[in-house]
Amino acid sequence: MKKNILFVQGNEACVEGALYAGLDFFAGYPITPSTEIAELLSYRLPQNGGKFIQMEDEISSMCAIIGASLTGKKVMTATSGPGFSLKQEAIGFAVMTETPCVVVNVQRGGPSTGLPTSGSQGDVMQARWGTHGEHAIITLTASNNQDVFAMTVEAFNLSETFRTPVILLFDEVVAHTRERLIMPEQGEINVVERLKTSVKGGTDYHPYLPREDGRLPMSDFGGIHRFNVTGLMHDMWGFPSTNPKIVYGLMHHLVDKIQGHTEEITRIKEFFVDDADYLLISYGSSARTALHVVRNRRARGEKLGLLELQTLWPFPVDAVKRRCATADYVIVVEMNMGQILHEVKKASDNPDKVFLANQINGSFITPTDVLNILRIIQGKGS
Amino acid sequence: MAVKDYIRERFFPHIWCPGCGHGTIMNCMIRAIESTGIKKNDIVLVSGIGCSSRICGYLDFHTLHTLHGRALAFATGVKLSRPELTLIVPMGDGDALAIGGNHLIHAARRNIDITAIIMNNSVYGMTGGQYSPTTGYGNFSATAPYGNIDQSFDIVKLALGAGASFVARTTTYHVTSTIEILEKAIAHKGFSVVEIISQCPVYFGRKNEFASAVNMLKYYRTHTTPIGSKMKKKYPELIERGIFIQEERPEYCSEYDKIIEKAHKER
């Protein structure tokens, strides 16, 4: 069968992935460099009977998708740095109320208005800790359009499986790079549908009582079960509670359901890692540069490898630890001042062998930037 | 149905202070909803944060207790994805007009079919009595110990200016008309704003020379008048109550259905 091949931007690949996963509802606010996602969905969603709304700000966009998700819809919003900051309180609400939703953050240079049209990977920690209070979160990323598509589908799947917001942390470079996207056939990639409760009407339904496997079957707002949803600490009926036992249990549930499934959530790609003396660890657009360096040096017989992270949170500690153990040196390649570097140092058997190759001036990280660090490590001058 | 069929008894006693007007409003809401005949399963109540917002937990509908100021944004998501549901959003004056002011005017502009009930007691009650966007000039509060120098919003004018297609004002003293107004607001297809002036004897009254809740209710009786009354002409400082506008205009969800039709043709 003839393959459906598109030539698109990363932002368009994200839209295609979202629609493939069954997106029903999108609310957003214009912001560079994510706006194409909203523009395209305003055109595409109503064609499938879905809904698009441009809200009055970033905060309300986040709130609107949570409201829509509670009625049983698959939902998404898309933004960039400053907008991501504004959404944080509502992201915490989605964490607390266990409402599935996908939040795209196409990273740009920051802080503040920063560099709206330049690439950066400065929001890695904001994705993890942007909202207040102890919590766990899932964050995925990708380095090319094919993976943007796949990770977008994954984001919806994980969001439904774990009843949690999932952050898609793309960057300006990937979002605006035009390249080939081979559209998967229907059914080629697994799509997880919402787990609905089998409790019949008139029977006591517990919206916040996890099954043995930790999953919580949902009932749609407007459906047969009436229940309370609140951002307050709550019991299994969703009613507010300050009972220390209930609070302790809920806190553990919220964190454990994600941290306890790190392996299941981990998506990584490995290139020449088995015998690598020099292990590069990278993600997003930086991983393209890292892969170029690895291939180039392998051709000269140097043992370089690349571990490309697609799951950033929960941080794949075990996978990173395993690969770091067999390498002499580790170089983290990223476009910030070392946000993933510190996670790798924590996971590594020896933090002193972990180095940073970065770029923070708004230009894309080049192979030369990585090679300069490699030369220093190899004692070939400074 | 009896009134108690609409409440979640296990959630009582409620948290409101003695003399608070919010219980009266909850009672009016129940009676209004009952007379509309809308089924409990078809009603979604969305609230933000504050004393007023606690209504959500007490009533037996689909209830969503959200973030401070953001109730209308959540409600917009619920309504647009399930337009057949009835959305009611009880809010306080700080919730609706300060932190949530932007969402209020934009929901009004869209004319999305949601009923916003603004329980106006001119004070942030839950945090202990700070001045709000409806605290009058010269009033006292926990954060206005020398008297308030902010000018207050006129909720009715704000809602009219923003494009709400149903706007009304009433008080907790006038319960019969409050029930009637709420009934009409809920039945209205479009964005409805109902301001209900409500007494907070503990935090507002205490600092502003109201000896009790009863004094405040008496004040509402003597200082308000029906829209366009002879009294208003004679005493222009009286606050008017009643329905200021009730107009059929294109409703947002219905308009979006037309978008879906157009998009289908282009497919």
Side-chain angles (χ1 to χ4, degrees), chain A residues 25 43 46-47 49-57 59-60 63-64 66-68 70-71 73 89-90 93 221-232 235 237 239-240, chain B residues 8 10-11 40-41 44 54 56-57 60-68 70 73-74 76-78 80-83 85 102-103 106 110 252 256-257 259-260 263-264 266-267:
Chain A
F25 187 99
Y43 181 72
Q47 293 179 340
K51 305 279 172 77
F52 166 92
I53 185 168
Q54 183 172 309
M55 293 295 286
E56 55 272 19
D57 57 28
I59 298 170
S60 51
C63 298
I66 295 171
L70 287 167
T71 71
K73 310 291 185 193
E89 186 192 11
F93 184 84
F221 255 43
I224 52 171
H225 299 291
R226 294 183 302 277
F227 57 95
N228 190 48
V229 174
T230 176
L232 289 164
D235 60 19
W237 287 278
F239 290 132
Chain B
R8 291 168 170 155
R10 66 182 292 264
F11 226 161
K40 289 202 286 184
N41 266 357
V44 181
R54 288 302 177 106
C56 236
D60 185 25
F61 304 112
H62 301 281
T63 54
L64 179 54
H65 177 229
T66 67
L67 305 172
H68 193 31
R70 316 299 172 202
F74 283 91
T76 298
V78 174
L80 183 56
S81 56
R82 290 285 300 274
L85 298 173
N102 202 32
H103 309 309
H106 287 278
R110 283 184 198 109
Y252 190 81
Y256 200 88
D257 285 342
I259 296 277
I260 291 177
H264 262 289
E266 271 208 32
R267 224 165 107 171

Side-chain angles (χ1 to χ4, degrees), chain A residues 188-218:
Chain A
E188 202 174 319
I189 302 181
N190 180 41
V191 170
V192 176
E193 297 305 337
R194 185 158 300 182
L195 180 67
K196 299 278 175 77
T197 180
S198 56
V199 173
K200 295 203 167 54
T203 316
D204 203 5
Y205 161 67
H206 304 101
Y208 292 102
L209 180 65
R211 302 194 309 196
E212 259 182 37
D213 62 359
R215 293 188 69 185
L216 295 93
M218 294 183 78

Side-chain angles (χ1 to χ4, degrees), chain A residues 172-346:
Chain A
E172 190 276 337
V173 180
V174 167
H176 286 159
T177 297
R178 276 187 191 277
E179 60 187 357
R180 187 175 64 166
L181 170 67
I182 305 170
M183 282 292 290
E185 298 295 327
Q186 217 59 43
E188 202 174 319
I189 302 181
N190 180 41
V191 170
V192 176
E193 297 305 337
R194 185 158 300 182
L195 180 67
K196 299 278 175 77
T197 180
S198 56
V199 173
K200 295 203 167 54
T203 316
D204 203 5
Y205 161 67
H206 304 101
Y208 292 102
L209 180 65
R211 302 194 309 196
E212 259 182 37
D213 62 359
R215 293 188 69 185
L216 295 93
M218 294 183 78
S219 174
D220 300 342
F221 255 43
I224 52 171
H225 299 291
R226 294 183 302 277
F227 57 95
N228 190 48
V229 174
T230 176
L232 289 164
M233 285 285 176
H234 47 270
D235 60 19
M236 64 184 174
W237 287 278
F239 290 132
S241 175
T242 52
N243 179 332
K245 237 173 122 176
I246 288 172
V247 172
Y248 179 89
L250 177 57
M251 184 57 97
H252 258 293
H253 163 71
L254 292 177
V255 173
D256 295 351
K257 74 173 181 180
I258 291 169
Q259 296 293 143
H261 291 88
T262 301
E263 206 173 327
E264 193 183 329
I265 299 167
T266 296
R267 308 283 183 275
I268 45 176
K269 289 170 89 174
E270 298 180 322
F271 302 89
F272 310 102
V273 288
D274 288 333
D275 62 343
D277 297 330
Y278 296 91
L279 177 70
L280 306 192
I281 298 182
S282 192
Y283 54 93
S285 61
S286 309
R288 300 172 76 114
T289 299
L291 184 58
H292 178 86
V293 171
V294 167
R295 287 198 168 129
N296 188 280
R297 293 282 139 165
R298 277 278 167 181
R300 300 188 196 182
E302 287 184 44
K303 288 184 178 172
L304 266 69
L306 168 65
L307 183 64
E308 182 188 339
L309 308 177
Q310 293 183 308
T311 299
L312 295 181
W313 307 113
F315 191 72
V317 177
D318 292 341
V320 170
K321 184 181 283 187
R322 205 164 47 238
R323 287 304 176 194
C324 284
T326 55
D328 296 332
Y329 295 97
V330 178
I331 303 173
V332 178
V333 184
E334 55 184 339
M335 293 194 289
N336 55 49
M337 291 177 83
Q339 298 191 17
I340 284 295
L341 172 79
H342 295 294
E343 295 303 313
V344 173
K345 277 180 180 269
K346 274 193 272 178

Side-chain angles (χ1 to χ4, degrees), chain B residues 188-202:
Chain B
H188 176 74
K189 193 173 172 175
F191 191 69
S192 312
V193 177
V194 180
E195 175 190 1
I196 307 178
I197 298 171
S198 174
Q199 73 277 14
C200 176
V202 173

Side-chain angles (χ1 to χ4, degrees), chain B residues 128-223:
Chain B
Q130 298 75 28
Y131 65 87
S132 87
T134 56
T135 305
Y137 180 87
N139 283 152
F140 292 89
S141 82
T143 45
Y146 304 106
N148 180 30
I149 56 166
D150 276 26
Q151 301 294 330
S152 63
F153 265 135
D154 180 327
I155 297 175
V156 166
K157 283 184 185 162
L158 181 71
L160 287 170
S165 54
F166 183 107
V167 178
R169 182 193 286 130
T170 177
T171 85
T172 46
Y173 177 80
H174 303 90
V175 286
T176 316
S177 62
T178 298
I179 295 168
E180 281 168 20
I181 285 171
L182 284 174
E183 210 183 303
K184 286 178 184 158
I186 293 164
H188 176 74
K189 193 173 172 175
F191 191 69
S192 312
V193 177
V194 180
E195 175 190 1
I196 307 178
I197 298 171
S198 174
Q199 73 277 14
C200 176
V202 173
Y203 290 118
F204 185 84
R206 193 163 48 95
K207 287 207 188 276
N208 292 286
E209 294 177 356
F210 288 104
S212 70
V214 174
N215 285 15
M216 297 182 84
L217 287 166
K218 281 181 180 164
Y219 182 89
Y220 300 160
R221 184 184 61 190
T222 53
H223 286 72

